[in-house]
Amino acid sequence: MSDNIKLVIKGLEKTFVSEKKNKVEAVKDMSFSIRDEEFLCIVGPSGCGKTTLLRMIAGLERPTSGQLEWKAGEDEDHRVGFVFQDDALLPWRSAYGNIAFGLELFGKPKEEIDAKVKELINLMNLKGFESSYPKELSGGMRKRVAIARALAIDPEILLMDEPFVSLDAQTRNVLQKELLKVWADKKITVIFITHNVDEAVFLADRILILTPRPTSVKEEVVIKLPRPRDRTDLEFIDIRKDILSKID
Amino acid sequence: MNKRIIKLMVPLAVLIGWELIAMSIDNPWKLPQLGKIITILIHPEKSLLGTGSLIENTYFSLKRVALGFGLASLVGIPLGIGMGWSKRLGDLLDYIIEVLRPIPPLAWIPLILAWLGLGLRSAVMIIFIGAFFPILINTIEGVKSVNRSHIEVAKTFNADDYDILRKVVVPHSSPYMVTGLRIGMGIAWMCLVAAEMMPGIAPSGLGYLIWQANTVGQISIIISGIVYIGVIGLLIDRTFKFIETRYFSWREVKG
């Protein structure tokens, strides 16, 4: 991890107004920053507004107030890769076509798209499944395609919204390890939302614990355990216990 | 037993029964023997009752359907995309569509004749009305059922509205459109034959041929015309089914 700050979030707030004009505060006075090449996990009680936070960073939701300050980005539009909770693969596109989707939208030339997609197919262990449609893929394979699609555009930050929640425990463990490998190899910056504390402790450099709605940062925990981490390690278990006790 | 044989059993029995009854009543004005019909069917180039041959009449009928159906697609698909995509346009046209949609296309014939007169235009218009609504309604349904998260994926890749329409909405709705086209084509074909039987719409086509045969009691020509209509309808339907399985096999069947 470098010491360069990638993104600073300052006083971010989001209030939704329902059709009956009721105001619902989802995010209130949220401030934190993320460093280049950092793996940041965000945990919090369910329905607290974690997803809203991520959607604001992705530009899918406009903050009611507060700022997102991007540091040291060469691009004006600050590309983010978003991995949705349901994998949101386009069913009419093959695995290859799904991975190429973002590159097509950014208007990249065909040869560049092809080279990039092939690289990601190797990276995400998708070889042999290039022409498979999403309905022909298992849950784990679909996630791999969704991650590859988000990575294809070389995002400044990879945003992941409880990506492994629908997978069985074994597949989830495999994908966690693969994700860490990709993160280390490609030196990417990740914000990963989960309600699974075990997952957060296994993955993160740092964990933000959020308060219930309207949510803000309650506490941050830096995980200094060396990788690969061992879930049965006593220190690991202690950290997990500690974080669990801090989530309301 | 072979599935194909089972499926062929009833049609064969019908044909045998037909032939037996036709022989026993021995009256071609009520029920001609199969041989007489087959003779007409295998000589589709022969002129019948001075109205032209089966081939010529099929050509006229197909041309009308192609025009009316083509027009209905050209209007129905873009309008359906617009109404499904823009809530405002959908609301604006909702009532008028809902009122006009249940009217049987043939009910328009007197008005169409009054406004457009005799000839091709009127026939095309009736087919247009028949094909238009299923195409429109299915397209709207397709566009409205687009998955929000698919649109958001595109947005995270900086897609504008045009990109979203082209890369998400249209591919998602294309199977719905083809279903609408298939249903629309079936209705168009039915409207056509009925329209051609109306006096004065057009002095040609399979419907016209059947009606002419009726006035002179030529049952075997009537049945030949019906067989042509049935076979062509079947071929068209099969073509659409083929397109559906060939190009939309990616569809996730929700059980």
Side-chain angles (χ1 to χ4, degrees):
Chain A
M1 196 197 330
S2 87
D3 288 330
N4 295 331
I5 298 292
K6 185 102 187 173
L7 171 68
V8 179
I9 288 169
K10 273 190 197 161
L12 205 64
E13 306 210 352
K14 179 70 189 179
T15 305
F16 291 103
V17 182
S18 73
E19 275 183 41
K20 290 174 186 160
K21 305 282 177 212
N22 294 326
K23 288 189 174 179
V24 180
E25 286 184 306
V27 177
K28 194 173 187 181
D29 198 21
M30 169 84 70
S31 299
F32 66 91
S33 58
I34 177 162
R35 276 187 294 276
D36 226 6
E37 298 167 30
E38 185 178 21
F39 201 123
L40 180 71
C41 277
I42 297 178
V43 298
S46 57
C48 77
K50 302 185 289 270
T51 298
T52 307
L53 169 68
L54 214 57
R55 290 170 59 85
M56 285 193 281
I57 298 172
L60 290 171
E61 210 85 68
R62 193 185 287 273
T64 311
S65 64
Q67 279 117 43
L68 293 159
E69 283 174 17
W70 292 86
K71 310 283 184 188
E74 65 271 34
D75 272 336
E76 277 295 293
D77 46 11
H78 300 295
R79 290 182 188 179
V80 296
F82 203 117
V83 180
F84 291 80
Q85 191 171 338
D86 66 326
D87 41 56
L89 296 182
L90 306 175
W92 56 88
R93 283 174 173 251
S94 63
Y96 183 103
N98 267 286
I99 299 169
F101 186 54
L103 297 162
E104 279 177 32
L105 284 170
F106 278 110
K108 297 288 178 208
K110 231 182 153 93
E111 306 77 53
E112 193 185 326
I113 295 178
D114 192 56
K116 192 80 203 174
V117 172
K118 283 186 175 142
E119 178 200 326
L120 281 156
I121 281 173
N122 283 325
L123 186 73
M124 296 306 300
N125 302 321
L126 285 162
K127 227 169 162 52
F129 293 91
E130 292 90 338
S131 56
S132 302
Y133 285 101
K135 74 164 182 182
E136 298 160 338
L137 296 172
S138 66
M141 293 309 262
R142 294 174 66 119
K143 284 299 172 211
R144 288 186 176 92
V145 175
I147 294 169
R149 178 175 66 182
L151 288 174
I153 59 163
D154 290 322
E156 289 188 41
I157 298 189
L158 181 65
L159 303 171
M160 307 183 83
D161 183 10
E162 305 197 34
F164 303 149
V165 73
S166 58
L167 301 175
D168 62 89
Q170 199 186 346
T171 311
R172 182 188 305 196
N173 288 351
V174 171
L175 277 172
Q176 284 168 355
K177 282 181 191 141
E178 287 186 15
L179 177 63
L180 281 178
K181 188 174 178 312
V182 170
W183 166 75
D185 288 354
K186 294 202 54 142
K187 300 188 184 308
I188 51 177
T189 311
V190 180
I191 299 182
F192 188 107
I193 284 185
T194 178
H195 59 244
N196 183 333
V197 173
D198 176 82
E199 184 169 65
V201 178
F202 186 76
L203 293 172
D205 289 320
R206 187 160 59 108
I207 297 176
L208 297 182
I209 302 166
L210 302 189
T211 66
R213 184 186 281 254
T215 195
S216 58
V217 179
K218 183 181 180 188
E219 202 169 325
E220 84 166 40
V221 180
V222 177
I223 314 285
K224 293 217 168 93
L225 294 174
R227 294 190 176 90
R229 290 173 185 165
D230 179 359
R231 292 186 153 90
T232 53
D233 182 64
L234 281 180
E235 219 178 327
F236 187 104
I237 293 167
D238 282 345
I239 295 170
R240 206 176 64 185
K241 260 189 201 159
D242 176 49
I243 293 174
L244 269 172
S245 71
K246 286 170 178 160
I247 299 179
D248 306 80
Chain B
M1 212 188 309
N2 190 310
K3 196 170 141 191
R4 191 164 290 254
I5 295 175
I6 295 176
K7 285 188 172 185
L8 279 171
M9 273 163 64
V10 172
L12 271 177
V14 168
L15 289 179
I16 292 167
W18 178 321
E19 188 67 7
L20 290 176
I21 297 168
M23 283 195 308
S24 72
I25 61 175
D26 192 25
N27 181 352
W29 305 100
K30 291 221 181 294
L31 194 66
Q33 283 178 253
L34 291 176
K36 232 181 137 183
I37 297 165
I38 291 167
T39 314
I40 299 173
L41 289 177
I42 61 173
H43 292 291
E45 75 293 342
K46 232 179 91 189
S47 182
L48 300 165
L49 307 170
T51 67
S53 65
L54 273 170
I55 288 180
E56 284 170 279
N57 283 304
T58 302
Y59 165 75
F60 284 120
S61 291
L62 283 176
K63 186 172 127 191
R64 286 171 197 138
V65 167
L67 285 172
F69 175 78
L71 208 60
S73 315
L74 284 179
V75 180
I77 287 178
L79 189 65
I81 292 173
M83 286 179 68
W85 184 241
S86 151
K87 182 137 175 44
R88 186 151 297 182
L89 186 64
D91 286 344
L92 186 71
L93 297 177
D94 185 50
Y95 281 167
I96 188 91
I97 300 281
E98 285 309 307
V99 168
L100 294 180
R101 191 165 68 100
I103 301 172
L106 299 181
W108 292 101
I109 288 181
L111 277 181
I112 289 170
L113 288 179
W115 290 338
L116 298 179
L118 302 177
L120 183 66
R121 277 187 304 179
S122 291
V124 169
M125 189 66 200
I126 292 162
I127 294 158
F128 172 85
I129 294 171
F132 175 70
F133 290 104
I135 295 173
L136 179 78
I137 302 298
N138 278 282
T139 305
I140 293 174
E141 196 194 316
V143 173
K144 278 193 170 165
S145 65
V146 168
N147 196 328
R148 267 222 72 76
S149 60
H150 292 160
I151 293 178
E152 295 197 324
V153 170
K155 280 189 177 162
T156 64
F157 296 135
N158 286 6
D160 56 25
D161 276 359
Y162 177 66
D163 289 330
I164 292 171
L165 206 61
R166 208 164 41 105
K167 298 250 180 196
V168 180
V169 175
V170 169
H172 167 88
S173 347
S174 50
Y176 293 81
M177 293 177 196
V178 171
T179 302
L181 292 174
R182 179 162 64 82
I183 298 168
M185 180 55 110
I187 296 179
W189 193 232
M190 285 181 213
C191 290
L192 166 89
V193 174
E196 283 175 344
M197 289 183 178
M198 293 284 160
I201 287 257
S204 60
L206 289 170
Y208 178 77
L209 174 67
I210 290 172
W211 205 244
Q212 288 305 108
N214 178 54
T215 58
V216 292
Q218 286 284 348
I219 303 276
S220 50
I221 295 181
I222 296 177
I223 292 168
S224 303
I226 290 175
V227 170
Y228 261 63
I229 290 167
V231 169
I232 292 168
L234 182 73
L235 287 179
I236 293 172
D237 198 68
R238 280 297 153 92
T239 307
F240 279 104
K241 283 259 172 69
F242 172 78
I243 293 171
E244 283 175 349
T245 47
R246 169 79 176 70
Y247 293 100
F248 303 129
S249 59
W250 50 262
R251 290 192 85 174
E252 293 171 344
V253 182
K254 301 248 158 66

